[in-house]
Amino acid sequence: MMIPNNYLEKVYASILAMNAGIRLGAPVEPPEWTAEMIQDVFGEIKDYVKDYHVFSADDDANGPIFFIRALLDHEKNRKLEPEDIGKTWLDYMREGIGMIWWGGDQVSTEHTAYLNLKKGIQAPRSGSIEQNGEIIAEQIGGQIFIDSFGLIFPNNPERAAEYAEIAASVSHDRNGIYGARFIAACIALAFSKSDVKEIIQEALKQIPAESTYAQVVHAVIDFHKKNPDDFRACRQFLEDDWGYDKYGGICHIIPNAGICILALLYGDGNVSRTIEIATMCGWDTDCNAGSVGSIVGALNGIDGIAPNYRKPINDSIVASSVSGYLNIVDLPTFAKQIALLGYREANEEPPAELVNSYKEKEIYFDFNLPGSTHGFRTSYPFKTFLRNSDYKGYTTSGSLEVIVFRMYEGDLSTVFYRTFYRRDMFMDEKYSPTFAPTAYSGQKVSMKVRVERLHGKAIVLTPYVRTTFDRKIIKTKDPIPAGSLWQTIEFTIPDTKGDIIEEVGLMIHSDSSRTKRAFGKIFLDEFRISGKPSYEIDFKKQAVEFNCVTPFAHHRGKWTLQEDKMQMDSEEDCASFTGHYYMEDAEIQARICPEKGNAHGILFRSQGTQRYYYAGFTGEGKVSIGVKNFDATELATTAYNWQPGKLYHLKVKAMDNNLSLYINDELLITVEDDTFEHGMWGFYAFEGGKCLYSNIKIN
């Protein structure tokens, strides 16, 4: 049996520690930050060096989140192949923005590999030395994207290394692949081993003994044996014998592999010390601290992650794929997704508790993982603060505990889950995350709530949503005096008139006097957002942020706002994506004015830039419904004398396997196809050109 009893918690701990390392190292990643400068400015690092309100997307986290989708989209009941990962790259990346470092062909390894894939050069040749040269193929990326494969194969370093190699081969070769194999094996071994030295020695069995990667590992091990107390001396040794000046490119894997081994050995298994040392050593700080964080996180479990590194993460990160919905990442939910894949790949039955706590197609939080908060926030921490209660859940041990203190009439605090992000919430534009909301008008919100009243009058709860254009609170139910028994609060999200919802939560208030202020505890559990969306998009209430019109993610082309319309202008084929990633049956309407180009319309049930249905204009004098599954196939076509510069009302209906296209309320085409069951929606322009979009309705 490969799967350990504490599997899910260890996966969660590894993910938390990886993200703590990335967050710690990211501010000092630029090459201007030498190890000496880091020491001069920050001294002995013991905490995050920057206080982020919301930490922006990072390529080191994007990869582990999205490259495993090859297991969900392509590898089913068979072995993973490099081509599966290559397809996943093409499907979830927007060309030139987000996800990876787009540093240029033959400069950025990942950019080079993407261009190869786009040209039809399949993996593993897309990342090979034969195709790209040794310097490009041996940069660091191969070992920073593969953490999840180590987590999916606990106690199975051979299989973890094998799948990590398959994933890394899309963009890397030789030492670039050995690094992927080694780090994934270390993570897999950390589930059962108790010592980092043993983990390193065992993981070395997964790479060639004569490789340069193995040589730098042994060199650091030997130095540590002779100098076990001075990591800075070891860092200088690496600078002298294995430094960046010995290897070409922007960020070679070998010097950074030395830093990873240094941090593991001198950190001696302690999570905080390990990621701190990796950061203080410089070079590729977020990559190295993230990689070693994954290992020692799995080694130590949740209790090994210090509060000062865990609390600011708050279980929530953002990513920068083409799916704005999937870019809002809840770490406990991601851990459960990984764990379920682990059971699947091991051919073992997952525990019923895990199966029941993961609902892929909706937002569902049960707070059952120790310390989990699922990203909930409070607007008034002076009066309310949050923590996980591990002993008072609705049906399980966990719940979110909201401590209410010194609240009297006139005070108001909110406790909420953020369903959408705006640019002003971030300190930078790193990796350009874009978002589609995780809550929509027409959906149902439900939660279990109970209150322990300690002093003063009753604590009153009013459910609400907040829109993002005017930041207006919309009360969705009358105030509820919460009782000492669990009760269900549920409501349907109201029509927000084309605006986007950015918060869903509870307003907290009390009628207590100043002399008898309210003290108490609110317990919240089984928070759900589910059901069918029914909403509009009003472009007067949108903005251009992260180079995209909210709430879309654009794949090529220039997309702007023109009063109450969105405009596309492109010299090449392009597309735009938004919406609930798991939306199934739907009616999508938009007014489209095609000004240049012969192929404009609505795409739907999209599971990436390469997989979706499309319906609309597909050539001069014709309209079609088609399916794109990397290659486009027209399912049905009919003549229609459409004219450039005219406004058309397009409506697409997708009900089960029945797909229909209406133009100006006339049914033109109906076909049956079962290629895709769910997905995003948006717009396509296969020849580029120019087009205006308005009056969008989704039901």
Side-chain angles (χ1 to χ4, degrees):
M1 179 176 175
M2 291 293 182
I3 305 295
N5 291 330
N6 58 351
Y7 178 43
L8 175 59
E9 288 191 17
K10 286 232 176 188
V11 170
Y12 179 42
S14 179
I15 291 169
L16 285 170
M18 173 184 70
N19 281 282
I22 292 169
R23 187 182 181 116
L24 178 62
V28 292
E29 178 190 18
E32 293 83 0
W33 286 101
T34 63
E36 293 75 19
M37 186 176 174
I38 293 170
Q39 184 178 9
D40 175 57
V41 174
F42 298 109
E44 196 73 11
I45 290 176
K46 293 294 182 183
D47 205 345
Y48 292 120
V49 299
K50 278 191 178 179
D51 183 17
Y52 292 94
H53 177 54
V54 179
F55 183 65
S56 189
D58 194 286
D59 59 336
D60 306 336
N62 281 328
I65 292 166
F66 286 100
F67 296 163
I68 61 159
R69 296 201 70 87
L71 300 175
L72 301 168
D73 299 340
H74 304 297
E75 184 258 37
K76 297 176 181 177
N77 303 314
R78 65 170 174 81
K79 183 181 175 182
L80 186 70
E81 300 291 343
E83 187 178 347
D84 298 326
I85 302 288
K87 286 182 175 180
T88 304
W89 275 54
L90 290 173
D91 217 12
Y92 288 95
M93 292 186 193
R94 298 167 290 149
E95 184 170 354
I97 185 169
M99 188 65 85
I100 60 171
W101 177 52
W102 299 92
D105 190 14
Q106 296 301 308
V107 177
S108 160
T109 302
E110 292 74 32
H111 192 165
T112 303
Y114 179 90
L115 293 175
N116 288 337
L117 293 169
K118 182 184 174 184
K119 287 183 261 187
I121 301 170
Q122 294 185 353
R125 184 178 175 87
S126 57
S128 67
I129 289 175
E130 181 182 12
Q131 179 68 32
N132 303 325
E134 181 178 343
I135 290 175
I136 287 292
E138 292 195 333
Q139 299 301 298
I140 196 173
Q143 76 178 22
I144 65 172
F145 297 145
I146 50 71
D147 306 63
S148 295
F149 294 103
L151 297 175
I152 288 169
F153 298 106
N155 301 323
N156 192 345
E158 295 84 4
R159 193 91 184 277
E162 178 188 16
Y163 269 49
E165 175 172 351
I166 290 167
S169 69
V170 174
S171 50
H172 290 75
D173 201 354
R174 208 158 61 196
N175 283 295
I177 284 178
Y178 302 154
R181 291 182 61 90
F182 178 82
I183 294 296
C186 283
I187 295 168
L189 288 160
F191 282 89
S192 57
K193 302 298 181 184
S194 59
D195 180 75
V196 290
K197 298 184 184 70
E198 185 180 4
I199 289 172
I200 293 168
Q201 291 294 344
E202 287 292 313
L204 279 168
K205 296 176 182 178
Q206 303 305 321
I207 64 174
E210 71 281 3
S211 65
T212 308
Y213 198 101
Q215 291 172 26
V216 73
V217 173
H218 284 295
V220 176
I221 291 172
D222 292 342
F223 189 94
H224 176 260
K225 287 178 181 176
K226 298 172 185 175
N227 304 271
D229 301 318
D230 189 353
F231 81 85
R232 295 189 190 278
C234 189
R235 171 61 174 81
Q236 188 59 51
F237 160 71
L238 285 172
E239 182 80 51
D240 295 341
D241 290 9
W242 302 88
Y244 270 22
D245 60 315
K246 314 293 191 303
Y247 303 93
I250 301 296
C251 192
H252 201 277
I253 196 168
I254 294 302
N256 289 290
I259 295 298
C260 289
I261 303 305
L262 181 162
L264 289 169
L265 292 174
Y266 286 91
D268 196 25
N270 180 278
V271 174
S272 298
R273 188 63 176 158
T274 300
I275 63 174
E276 288 161 3
I277 289 173
T279 299
M280 288 187 283
C281 284
W283 289 335
D284 201 339
T285 47
D286 59 342
C287 297
N288 297 333
S291 293
V292 297
S294 293
I295 298 166
V296 293
L299 176 68
N300 286 275
I302 293 172
D303 291 342
I305 304 172
N308 64 306
Y309 286 117
R310 182 178 182 184
K311 188 174 181 181
I313 296 173
N314 195 30
D315 273 349
S316 183
I317 64 170
V318 301
S320 52
S321 76
V322 73
S323 172
Y325 181 91
L326 295 179
N327 285 344
I328 300 174
V329 184
D330 174 66
L331 295 185
T333 302
F334 178 51
K336 292 170 185 177
Q337 180 187 53
I338 291 282
L340 286 167
L341 283 171
Y343 281 103
R344 188 190 86 177
E345 294 297 318
N347 293 314
E348 292 187 24
E349 191 73 23
E353 183 180 10
L354 171 58
V355 174
N356 293 335
S357 70
Y358 179 75
K359 303 185 188 302
E360 181 181 60
K361 297 183 179 182
E362 62 185 62
I363 300 300
Y364 178 75
F365 304 147
D366 62 8
F367 305 95
N368 204 25
L369 278 166
S372 60
T373 62
H374 292 281
F376 268 76
R377 296 170 167 85
T378 178
S379 63
Y380 194 12
F382 186 72
K383 295 285 185 176
T384 54
F385 68 86
L386 313 180
R387 67 184 183 188
N388 180 279
S389 170
D390 58 4
Y391 64 97
K392 291 184 178 179
Y394 175 62
T395 57
T396 61
S397 60
S399 64
L400 184 71
E401 185 177 358
V402 185
I403 312 298
V404 179
F405 59 105
R406 298 174 63 86
M407 184 167 278
Y408 52 86
E409 187 176 8
D411 285 339
L412 176 66
S413 183
T414 60
V415 173
F416 62 92
Y417 163 64
R418 187 174 299 290
T419 56
F420 189 75
Y421 287 86
R422 298 294 302 273
R423 172 63 184 87
D424 60 8
M425 298 173 184
F426 296 86
M427 298 172 71
D428 56 37
E429 297 208 7
K430 190 158 62 77
Y431 292 99
S432 300
T434 54
F435 306 103
T438 54
Y440 296 86
S441 297
Q443 288 192 295
K444 180 186 287 187
V445 176
S446 67
M447 65 194 86
K448 306 296 185 184
V449 175
R450 77 175 187 85
V451 169
E452 285 185 4
R453 182 173 153 198
L454 302 177
H455 185 73
K457 290 188 177 180
I459 294 170
V460 180
L461 307 175
T462 304
Y464 80 96
V465 299
R466 186 194 296 271
T467 52
T468 193
F469 177 72
D470 55 13
R471 304 286 166 97
K472 178 183 177 182
I473 281 183
I474 302 173
K475 298 177 183 178
T476 59
K477 218 173 177 64
D478 290 336
I480 302 166
S484 60
L485 299 177
W486 285 103
Q487 62 190 99
T488 301
I489 296 176
E490 63 181 21
F491 59 88
T492 299
I493 300 176
D495 184 359
T496 58
K497 309 298 182 184
D499 205 348
I500 294 170
I501 297 159
E502 70 172 24
E503 292 178 13
V504 175
L506 296 170
M507 301 165 62
I508 302 171
H509 42 108
S510 176
D511 292 333
S512 290
S513 66
R514 288 177 177 266
T515 57
K516 291 186 178 180
R517 297 169 181 173
F519 285 72
K521 297 180 180 180
I522 303 167
F523 297 93
L524 187 152
D525 200 3
E526 295 193 6
F527 178 87
R528 298 180 71 172
I529 304 174
S530 60
K532 297 183 181 298
S534 179
Y535 64 100
E536 302 176 5
I537 293 180
D538 182 350
F539 284 116
K540 288 183 177 179
K541 298 179 179 179
Q542 306 308 317
V544 177
E545 298 183 347
F546 294 113
N547 297 313
C548 289
V549 175
T550 59
F552 291 86
H554 308 312
H555 178 55
R556 296 194 286 266
K558 182 180 180 182
W559 303 73
T560 56
L561 287 170
Q562 303 293 330
E563 297 182 350
D564 61 345
K565 300 176 180 64
M566 179 170 70
Q567 177 178 284
M568 177 279 299
D569 194 345
S570 180
E571 297 297 321
E572 58 182 338
D573 68 290
C574 62
S576 190
F577 303 83
T578 190
H580 197 305
Y581 186 83
Y582 295 103
M583 187 171 74
E584 296 173 339
D585 292 352
E587 181 180 280
I588 304 163
Q589 301 183 57
R591 295 195 182 276
I592 294 179
C593 181
E595 297 186 350
K596 288 194 307 182
N598 289 316
H600 298 282
I602 296 171
L603 60 86
F604 57 103
R605 289 189 179 174
S606 168
Q607 297 175 23
T609 67
Q610 305 299 315
R611 295 183 302 138
Y612 53 79
Y613 292 111
Y614 59 90
F617 311 124
T618 53
E620 187 175 345
K622 73 170 188 174
V623 293
S624 307
I625 294 178
V627 60
K628 183 173 183 181
N629 197 355
F630 291 88
D631 294 316
T633 302
E634 291 188 357
L635 299 173
T637 300
T638 191
Y640 188 84
N641 186 28
W642 66 275
Q643 299 294 321
K646 287 191 174 182
L647 184 65
Y648 296 90
H649 175 209
L650 270 64
K651 180 167 67 177
V652 171
K653 284 187 178 181
M655 303 295 170
D656 296 321
N657 297 333
N658 300 307
L659 316 175
S660 303
L661 170 65
Y662 299 74
I663 298 183
N664 295 341
D665 294 323
E666 178 186 358
L667 175 61
L668 297 179
I669 305 174
T670 296
V671 298
E672 289 190 11
D673 191 82
D674 62 358
T675 305
F676 302 120
E677 295 179 352
H678 66 82
M680 304 173 284
W681 65 271
F683 302 107
Y684 69 86
F686 292 148
E687 300 176 4
K690 189 173 182 179
C691 193
L692 291 167
Y693 312 88
S694 60
N695 297 87
I696 294 169
K697 297 180 180 180
I698 311 298
N699 184 16

